[in-house]
Amino acid sequence: MATRYAKRLQKELMELQVSPPTGIRVEEANDLSRWVIGIDGTTGSLYQGEKFSLQFRFNDGYPLEAPEVIFIGKPPVHPHIYGNGHICLSILYDHWSPALTVLSICLSILSMLSSCTEKVRPVDDSVYVSRAVGKSPKDTR
Amino acid sequence: MSFYRERMSSGLDIKNEELYGGVGDGGVVGFHCFSCWNITSKMSEDEIYDDYDVDDDSAEESGNESADNEEMDYEYSTQEIDFDDIHSSNRSIGKLTRQKSFEVLDRSELVSESRKLIKEVMDVLSIPSEAAVSILLRHMKWNKEKLIERFMDNQDKLCSDAGIPNLRLDKAVDKSLQKFSCLICLEDFPPSQTFALSCDHRYCLACWKLYLECKIGEGPECIYSTCPAPKCKVKVHEDAFKKLIESVAYEKYSNFILKSYVDDNPQVKWCPAPGCVYSVRCDRKERKEAVTCKCGFQYCFNCNDSEIGDHMPCPCSQVDKWLQKASDESENVTWMLANTKKCPECRSPIEKNGGCMHMTCRKNAGGCGFEFCWLCRGPWSDHGSATGGYYNCNKYDKSKAKEDDEKANDAKTELEAYMFYYHRYESHKNAMKIADEQRRNAHQKEQQILSKFDVRSADTKFLMEATEQLLRNRRVLQYSYVYGYYLDKKSNERNLFEYLQEDLEKHTNQLSTYYELSLDKLDDYQAFIKWKEQVTNYTRITKKFLDHFVEGVAGGLTGSHHNN
Ligand SMILES: [Zn+2]
Ligand SMILES: [Zn+2]
Ligand SMILES: [Zn+2]
Ligand SMILES: [Zn+2]
Ligand SMILES: [Zn+2]
Ligand SMILES: [Zn+2]
């Protein structure tokens, strides 16, 4: 990883570990290029009381390129989250900006969960999941 | 059209007899004295040129030759030593005046054209910034009129849609700040080391540079890059690119801007030749003549395809139709071709490695020595002027054509007819590739000649001229079989067409044969000069035949010959 931005990643990690916002915690980051972040369904939302895990993978292009972000374990049942943990969220793909951070991604995903009114999978879930076997969500768009 | 019939039936037996024809009859003019190709080797250059003078005079009388040709004729009759120089420079002047309808542009001309357009908009709309207008123009696909209209209609909306709100470029930094924290690298900088567009999303210079270079790496879309801030739609303007990135990367970026200028402009297209950097502007809607790029590639501007090239005498739509058919039939054709590329006598496989259609089944390769025509597989002794025999190679067999009528629904016969044309089309196409190679290798041949004979380098210019002529002839011949395939099978046009095609084909083959003569066979200077005269002469002759053919197809076939 380019040293310049390895430093940014270190800073982001430290910030999250030292003063994590409510409902967000670093579960795993032994390898700087792969983190697991735990998030809690917010109070008052359909996901209150549920816990989820997000996997972040960073390549050399970060933050000029978006990280690869998916749910691991049991993904939330949500119209924009596939059964295999892939997330339909534009800032992770076309609308990525290098000024976005791991924290801002987590907050976006939490707000996406909070605004949900019906717990259902995407309509094309089974088709997408079978097509996306072994692929990064960045390559299935 | 009795003239053509007459000449057809008398075939090639006519010698030393001058024929001028087609005067006032559909625009086909100026046939030559047959002597100029039958006894070429005995003629001096002056005699050859004299011949052309006579010919062209007759053409002038008929009022059908253009003015630039007349000019050339005067040059023909002079006896200058460095004849070829004058001749060719004159020819290019003639060409220029005739083909003003297109223009080859290099990179700097594209730059100044696009700058000129930007300047015009700046003046009309009183916008002082070139960078801002450049964004507006790119947003409007370089359409100046549309831009001005939209700008007048709703300036604010247009500017924010285009990503340059209020036409503002950069946001100056607040110098009172002690330090500034960059949201991309998360580090602190003095304000002087930061930059922001009008939206005031401020980042350090290093992050800007990496961000923009990353965009350029992604390709042509980089010219529409926006500010790195999430959801910000403000476009990064040219001056910012220039200021923030290295000059090598900026060069790449400018090339992408030029690319958009060309791609968005229907009157300008890149030359399709592989690796060519030029572009061509062509304003006419209908194609008439091919355009010629500075790289030497000649092609149809409309089709703009390096494989198709120029397709005179066919219209574009016919080429489309033909290529579609070729791909539909390709399986059948492959099978037929694979099963017919054998010596007609002994069935040995035949390899074709010259541009000429005269094939020899090589004894040293286990063959029988049979000499035959690549196109019709008939014995070569039946062909060409050497025996005065009737050359029947460009016509689909008449008796077969009759059968055609009888078995109009027989698909196999139709495929055979198609195969006839397809095979010739392919053969000339391949011969063209060989001619192209010969043209590129003409320099080597020149060196061999210069080292073998005591001649000046001006004496070898004919090599390049011959190969260029061969190339042109092969290309026209190639497409002439497409044209012929779609010509009405029983029309009068067809007779004339095949007649002109035959002439061109025969003499082109002859030129190929002469050109491909091994230098080992030239024992002395005399032999060289004799050979040079043959090649030079045939180059001129085939040029005339090519002109006749092209003029004939353009005028004579479709003009006043609707007798059927
Ligand atoms: Zn920075
Ligand atoms: Zn911005
Ligand atoms: Zn070119
Ligand atoms: Zn065309
Ligand atoms: Zn043989
Ligand atoms: Zn033949």
Side-chain angles (χ1 to χ4, degrees), chain B residues 8 109 179 186 267:
Chain B
M8 271 179 79
E109 286 163 321
K179 62 181 172 115
L186 306 180
Q267 272 135 32

Side-chain angles (χ1 to χ4, degrees), chain B residues 269-272 280 290-291 293 297-301 304-305 309-310:
Chain B
K269 289 179 195 168
W270 299 105
C271 165
V280 175
V291 300
C293 179
F297 187 55
Q298 206 175 55
Y299 62 98
C300 165
F301 183 78
N304 208 61
D305 186 297
D310 178 31

Side-chain angles (χ1 to χ4, degrees), chain B residues 287 300-304 308 311 315-316 319:
Chain B
R287 87 158 229 130
C300 165
F301 183 78
N302 187 24
C303 295
N304 208 61
I308 295 174
H311 51 68
C316 298
V319 176

Side-chain angles (χ1 to χ4, degrees), chain B residues 342-348 350 360-362 366-370 372:
Chain B
K342 286 181 179 147
C343 167
E345 283 293 292
C346 71
R347 314 301 299 161
S348 296
I350 299 295
T360 306
C361 178
R362 298 210 175 274
C368 66
F370 181 60
F372 63 99

Side-chain angles (χ1 to χ4, degrees), chain B residues 125 127 136 149-161 164-167:
Chain B
L125 300 179
I127 302 172
L136 292 178
E149 190 190 309
R150 288 273 294 276
F151 190 89
M152 299 299 198
D153 184 41
N154 190 342
Q155 174 178 343
D156 289 346
K157 185 177 185 305
L158 173 69
C159 292
S160 57
D161 284 355
I164 179 112
N166 301 312
L167 295 170

